[in-house]
Amino acid sequence: MDKFKIIDKGNVCTPKGFRASGVNGGIKKNNTTKKDVALIVSDKPSRAAGTYTLNRYAAAPVTVTKEYIKDGILQAVVVNSGNANACTGEKGYLDAKQMAAITAQNLNLKEQDVAVASTGVIGVNLDMEVMGKAIIKAASSLSYEGGHDAAEAIMTTDTCSKEIAIEVDINGTPVKIGGMAKGSGMIHPNMATMLCFVTTDAFIDQKLMHTALKEIIDDTFNMVTVDGDTSTNDMAVVLANGMAGNKEIRDIDDNYKKFYDGLYYVLEALSIMIAKDGEGASKLFTVNVLNCTTKKDAKKIAKSVIQSSLVKTAIFGEDANWGRIIAAVGYSEAQFDETKVDIYLKSGSMSIKVAENGAGLVFDEVMAKEILSKRQVEAVIDMKDGTNSATAWGCDLTYDYVKINADYRS
Amino acid sequence: MDKFKIIDKGNVCTPKGFRASGVNGGIKKNNTTKKDVALIVSDKPSRAAGTYTLNRYAAAPVTVTKEYIKDGILQAVVVNSGNANACTGEKGYLDAKQMAAITAQNLNLKEQDVAVASTGVIGVNLDMEVMGKAIIKAASSLSYEGGHDAAEAIMTTDTCSKEIAIEVDINGTPVKIGGMAKGSGMIHPNMATMLCFVTTDAFIDQKLMHTALKEIIDDTFNMVTVDGDTSTNDMAVVLANGMAGNKEIRDIDDNYKKFYDGLYYVLEALSIMIAKDGEGASKLFTVNVLNCTTKKDAKKIAKSVIQSSLVKTAIFGEDANWGRIIAAVGYSEAQFDETKVDIYLKSGSMSIKVAENGAGLVFDEVMAKEILSKRQVEAVIDMKDGTNSATAWGCDLTYDYVKINADYRS
């Protein structure tokens, strides 16, 4: 618990030397007030690492960011919401490059040091005249207090912004890690799901940071699902400007471990925020798989249950339908002993065992009902056949999910 | 078209020598009028073949049927709705056997010649006193006109029964194939999804029939999805009693091909009926993938699109959101050239191209709207990179799906 300190109202501007802004640039159609362009800028060139969507229709900004991050250096990130710039052909690619170029020009940076990200509608070309003005506006609004505005500007159907920052002690030097993310729909584990930007003033080897990011994303963002749809625009990027002045983290030692745990905390917290704010969600639903033979199988089982539409509607319906949970365990394609599986439903300190050794138990329906009436519900699946565990985060499937995504009907 | 004749109001009793019944036996709780026990009985022992769920929690009746069908012979099928007899432990297994035993006793058959199937709630043991009486009632109600009653008795949340029969000419002898199925929820391609029973009076080699069944199920039932959940109770069983008197089909020849095409038609028709009557569905949604490099990839793409919650809600919302379709193509894990893909929306004779070479087109929004307002909507995805195709069937994701499955909230 003392490993790091959570910073009240922390965000991407909490680490030293990071400015940010979020402005309304007119990218979101029919909306003249919502912010839709965000900038994050480091005072110094930063070591950078990223992970990206595995969707074959990776959007133009993903392609450009992958290109520009190759040398391991970035100094700024420009992000817009309201238009994903995905499936937009050659013009889309050139537009994403131009977003970086305009940003670089206005901030006196190298174009290749600017990462680009977009989120919103697929298949519509950006209006670059509007975008150019919006970026200039964002550049002139940059401040060391702009982190919250930036987090707001990347929201689409999110109902709240997702931000966090922590402080970790590296060899006596306080090092800070801040993060922001957006989620909501088209959310499904398959590599760096969703948009996520992390800043840190840590001085750390680029390769080591990249390894940490990849490993942690696999256990956090890639274990979140809202609707099983892997987006074309997913991206998680970390910028480390070294301004904390710590001795460089170069090896897998205690200091690396501290940085790793801090980064893990930030990414896990953002993952949970995304799950909780999934489109139409009324509950955060967590699946904990315990004591599995392999970690891979534990993940398969957790993902299978968190994705099941029948489990998700049962959670919405506050129905202790463990049969749907065990059916999803059964079709997960994991290897396990069916006759050993126990299932518990939990919320906070309340817990009830609903199935044992792969079959149902008589349980207290009133208590089950009370657990399921809470805003945060957990299913614990004990495989009793090993030492590996996995956690997945998601939400219930509600009328509002359908409403948000079938809007012509609402 | 002249290959076979569709028989008006045909069902499992259309082939020679099959009796059936469907009765209300009191298995469905709180319901004293709906039918819930079905019997299908052949006058003669029949060659039989089956395919089953891949869910590791295969229900007790699946286990028993697999055991009893091993010698390739069955003479009857007993089915109940209202209780799945899944995850019910040793008692569940013994209960499934007893269902076969009671049926055999009352019909003077061998217990091992009776297949057993169940559908309904998971994890609740059957009341065998009620079940015993129900089977006796069903046995005494058997008739050569009972096919429709049997199809009704296996319904759960289905809103209509699913039945069909055809006649095919084998070497001058008319041979009939009849089928019934249930679907609705927990419907997802992974081996013989759902319950399906096919009868035929064809005289055909058992192994050949088994091969045909497996192949056809893979192209039909396994290409249907309602909610992505693979049930514990899926089963498709064919009984062939040889009473048509045709020369035995023993080789992969013209007669086999005719039988195969007839069986294909029956299973495809039942698959489409299931997709159309998916829980809460307001539209039948078909995905046709054309000109793909491999059949495997064509199937991956079709399944990925048919399962996408975002595509399904767009279809419900009558929204020509091809971006969601192409995103699902992109995360299908199939290999293809992203820059070649064209997408069309179709209904009946109306068709409109909405994307070309992986990017959007300006299209007639009014016509798109009209196509999407129909009850049967099709997405055609032309990969322009090979000769393989695949079709998947599903439905839209609606408020009613959520309502049906979160019933405590409704």
Side-chain angles (χ1 to χ4, degrees):
Chain A
M1 200 53 225
D2 290 317
K3 285 196 290 189
F4 44 80
K5 198 166 77 187
I6 296 154
I7 294 165
D8 190 42
K9 296 188 178 168
N11 57 51
V12 291
C13 286
T14 305
K16 261 185 217 163
F18 284 98
R19 289 177 300 156
S21 63
V23 301
N24 164 27
I27 313 294
K28 282 180 181 156
K29 292 274 179 271
N30 312 322
N31 193 306
T32 51
T33 58
K34 281 195 184 164
K35 301 187 182 78
D36 47 22
V37 172
L39 276 178
I40 306 172
V41 185
S42 168
D43 292 347
K44 288 186 173 180
S46 300
R47 293 177 179 176
T51 57
Y52 314 89
T53 184
L54 292 183
N55 195 309
R56 287 179 82 99
Y57 285 102
V62 174
T63 309
V64 170
T65 298
K66 279 166 125 172
E67 224 175 291
Y68 287 179
I69 208 171
K70 263 195 188 139
D71 63 356
I73 304 288
L74 287 177
Q75 193 164 353
V77 183
V78 57
V79 196
N80 75 278
S81 55
N83 184 323
N85 193 12
C87 301
T88 44
E90 180 66 11
K91 179 173 183 321
Y93 175 72
L94 296 174
D95 287 350
K97 282 203 153 177
Q98 217 195 319
M99 281 177 67
I102 298 168
T103 306
Q105 237 161 45
N106 278 276
L107 300 172
N108 254 325
L109 308 175
K110 282 196 283 184
E111 180 181 330
Q112 284 74 8
D113 289 350
V114 181
V116 188
S118 298
T119 175
V121 180
I122 294 173
V124 180
N125 277 114
L126 289 167
D127 180 334
M128 285 310 291
E129 207 181 303
V130 172
M131 181 62 78
K133 285 179 190 155
I135 294 173
I136 292 167
K137 188 174 172 186
S140 69
S141 309
L142 279 169
S143 89
Y144 292 104
E145 286 77 41
H148 176 64
D149 286 346
E152 279 191 345
I154 64 170
M155 289 164 60
T156 54
T157 52
D158 305 67
T159 66
C160 57
S161 65
K162 292 151 187 83
E163 325 160 43
I164 187 169
I166 59 139
E167 184 182 305
V168 53
D169 180 281
I170 303 282
N171 241 1
T173 310
V175 165
K176 297 192 186 75
I177 306 175
M180 68 185 209
K182 75 152 302 279
S184 225
M186 221 180 246
I187 299 289
H188 181 63
N190 205 353
M191 194 69 208
T193 323
M194 311 142 267
L195 296 187
C196 171
F197 306 99
V198 174
T199 56
T200 176
D201 46 21
F203 187 31
I204 178 167
D205 177 74
Q206 193 272 342
K207 284 205 178 62
L208 221 48
M209 182 169 75
H210 196 192
T211 304
L213 177 69
K214 278 192 298 186
E215 274 181 36
I216 298 170
I217 286 288
D218 234 30
D219 278 357
T220 57
F221 276 56
N222 284 352
M223 293 302 283
V224 173
T225 193
V226 169
D227 48 20
D229 282 80
T230 301
S231 156
T232 48
N233 289 56
D234 300 339
M235 181 190 299
V237 171
V238 187
L239 273 72
N241 67 9
M243 289 174 73
N246 60 296
K247 185 169 160 263
E248 188 182 8
I249 301 169
R250 291 179 142 182
D251 302 294
I252 298 181
D253 56 12
D254 269 10
N255 290 325
Y256 172 74
K257 187 79 186 76
K258 279 184 190 168
F259 175 82
Y260 189 101
D261 288 348
L263 185 60
Y264 197 108
Y265 185 87
V266 165
L267 292 172
E268 185 183 58
L270 291 170
S271 298
I272 294 170
M273 290 182 209
I274 286 171
K276 199 173 176 175
D277 192 33
E279 275 179 344
S282 80
K283 292 174 196 290
L284 170 66
F285 178 47
T286 306
V287 176
N288 263 308
V289 176
L290 306 177
N291 304 315
C292 197
T293 319
T294 68
K295 177 139 184 168
K296 202 173 160 192
D297 280 335
K299 283 190 172 184
K300 271 189 188 170
I301 294 165
K303 282 185 177 183
S304 183
V305 175
I306 206 82
Q307 284 171 42
S308 159
S309 292
L310 286 170
V311 172
K312 286 158 66 79
T313 44
I315 295 299
F316 175 52
E318 302 182 352
D319 176 5
N321 196 325
W322 63 268
R324 293 182 183 174
I325 296 175
I326 209 162
V329 173
Y331 66 67
S332 66
E333 296 179 9
Q335 297 298 313
F336 62 91
D337 183 342
E338 305 95 83
T339 66
K340 285 189 175 172
V341 179
D342 295 351
I343 300 177
Y344 301 78
L345 296 174
K346 270 185 75 177
S347 184
S349 60
M350 287 186 296
S351 173
I352 192 166
K353 195 191 252 190
V354 291
E356 190 173 69
N357 299 327
L361 282 179
V362 176
F363 57 86
D364 181 347
E365 302 262 1
V366 177
M367 190 174 175
K369 189 84 198 148
E370 199 185 332
I371 289 171
L372 291 167
S373 71
K374 303 296 176 194
R375 296 292 300 269
Q376 307 208 359
V377 175
E378 195 178 326
V380 178
I381 303 167
D382 190 346
M383 312 306 291
K384 298 190 308 202
D385 207 18
T387 56
N388 293 281
S389 61
T391 302
W393 299 275
C395 56
D396 50 352
L397 173 56
T398 69
Y399 295 118
D400 281 348
Y401 177 82
V402 178
K403 189 171 178 181
I404 291 165
N405 288 300
D407 54 352
Y408 289 15
R409 284 283 179 116
S410 62
Chain B
M1 200 54 225
D2 289 317
K3 285 196 291 191
F4 44 80
K5 198 167 77 187
I6 296 154
I7 293 164
D8 190 41
K9 297 190 179 168
N11 56 50
V12 291
C13 286
T14 304
K16 260 185 219 163
F18 285 96
R19 289 177 300 154
S21 63
V23 300
N24 164 28
I27 314 291
K28 281 180 181 158
K29 293 274 177 269
N30 311 323
N31 195 306
T32 51
T33 58
K34 281 193 183 165
K35 300 187 182 78
D36 48 22
V37 173
L39 277 178
I40 306 171
V41 185
S42 169
D43 292 347
K44 288 187 176 181
S46 299
R47 293 177 179 174
T51 59
Y52 314 89
T53 182
L54 291 183
N55 195 308
R56 287 180 82 96
Y57 285 102
V62 174
T63 310
V64 170
T65 298
K66 278 166 127 172
E67 225 175 291
Y68 288 178
I69 209 172
K70 263 194 188 140
D71 62 356
I73 303 288
L74 288 176
Q75 195 164 354
V77 184
V78 58
V79 196
N80 74 280
S81 55
N83 184 325
N85 194 12
C87 302
T88 43
E90 180 66 12
K91 181 175 181 321
Y93 174 71
L94 295 174
D95 287 351
K97 282 202 153 180
Q98 218 195 318
M99 282 176 68
I102 297 168
T103 306
Q105 236 162 44
N106 278 275
L107 299 173
N108 256 326
L109 309 174
K110 281 197 284 182
E111 181 181 329
Q112 284 72 10
D113 289 350
V114 182
V116 188
S118 297
T119 175
V121 181
I122 293 174
V124 180
N125 277 114
L126 289 167
D127 180 334
M128 285 308 293
E129 208 180 303
V130 172
M131 181 61 79
K133 284 179 192 156
I135 294 174
I136 291 168
K137 188 173 171 185
S140 68
S141 309
L142 281 169
S143 87
Y144 291 106
E145 284 80 40
H148 176 63
D149 287 345
E152 279 191 346
I154 64 171
M155 289 164 60
T156 54
T157 50
D158 306 66
T159 66
C160 58
S161 64
K162 292 150 187 84
E163 326 161 42
I164 188 170
I166 59 137
E167 184 182 305
V168 52
D169 181 281
I170 303 284
N171 241 3
T173 311
V175 164
K176 297 193 186 74
I177 306 175
M180 68 185 209
K182 76 153 300 281
S184 226
M186 220 178 246
I187 299 289
H188 180 62
N190 205 352
M191 194 68 209
T193 321
M194 309 141 271
L195 295 187
C196 171
F197 305 99
V198 174
T199 55
T200 176
D201 46 22
F203 187 31
I204 177 167
D205 178 71
Q206 191 274 340
K207 284 204 177 63
L208 220 50
M209 182 167 74
H210 196 192
T211 303
L213 177 69
K214 279 192 299 186
E215 274 181 34
I216 298 169
I217 286 286
D218 234 31
D219 279 356
T220 55
F221 277 55
N222 284 351
M223 294 302 284
V224 173
T225 194
V226 169
D227 49 20
D229 282 81
T230 302
S231 158
T232 49
N233 288 57
D234 300 339
M235 182 190 299
V237 170
V238 186
L239 273 70
N241 68 10
M243 288 174 73
N246 61 296
K247 186 167 160 265
E248 187 182 8
I249 302 170
R250 290 179 142 181
D251 302 295
I252 298 182
D253 57 11
D254 270 9
N255 290 325
Y256 172 74
K257 188 80 185 77
K258 280 185 190 166
F259 175 83
Y260 188 100
D261 288 347
L263 185 61
Y264 198 109
Y265 186 86
V266 165
L267 292 172
E268 185 182 60
L270 291 170
S271 298
I272 294 170
M273 290 181 209
I274 285 172
K276 198 172 176 176
D277 191 33
E279 277 179 342
S282 80
K283 292 174 194 292
L284 170 68
F285 178 48
T286 307
V287 176
N288 263 310
V289 176
L290 306 177
N291 305 316
C292 197
T293 320
T294 68
K295 176 138 184 169
K296 203 175 159 190
D297 281 335
K299 283 191 172 186
K300 271 189 189 172
I301 294 164
K303 282 185 177 183
S304 184
V305 175
I306 206 85
Q307 282 170 44
S308 160
S309 292
L310 286 170
V311 173
K312 286 158 66 79
T313 45
I315 296 299
F316 175 51
E318 302 181 352
D319 175 6
N321 196 325
W322 62 269
R324 295 183 183 174
I325 296 175
I326 209 163
V329 174
Y331 66 68
S332 66
E333 297 179 7
Q335 298 298 313
F336 61 93
D337 184 342
E338 303 94 85
T339 65
K340 285 189 177 172
V341 179
D342 294 352
I343 300 178
Y344 301 77
L345 295 174
K346 270 186 74 176
S347 184
S349 61
M350 287 186 297
S351 174
I352 192 166
K353 194 191 251 192
V354 290
E356 190 172 69
N357 299 328
L361 282 180
V362 177
F363 57 86
D364 181 346
E365 301 263 1
V366 177
M367 191 175 175
K369 189 83 200 150
E370 198 184 334
I371 288 172
L372 290 166
S373 72
K374 302 296 177 194
R375 295 292 300 268
Q376 308 207 358
V377 175
E378 196 178 327
V380 177
I381 303 166
D382 189 347
M383 313 305 291
K384 297 189 307 199
D385 206 16
T387 56
N388 293 281
S389 61
T391 303
W393 299 274
C395 56
D396 50 352
L397 173 56
T398 69
Y399 296 118
D400 281 347
Y401 177 82
V402 178
K403 190 172 177 182
I404 291 165
N405 288 299
D407 53 352
Y408 290 15
R409 284 283 180 114
S410 64

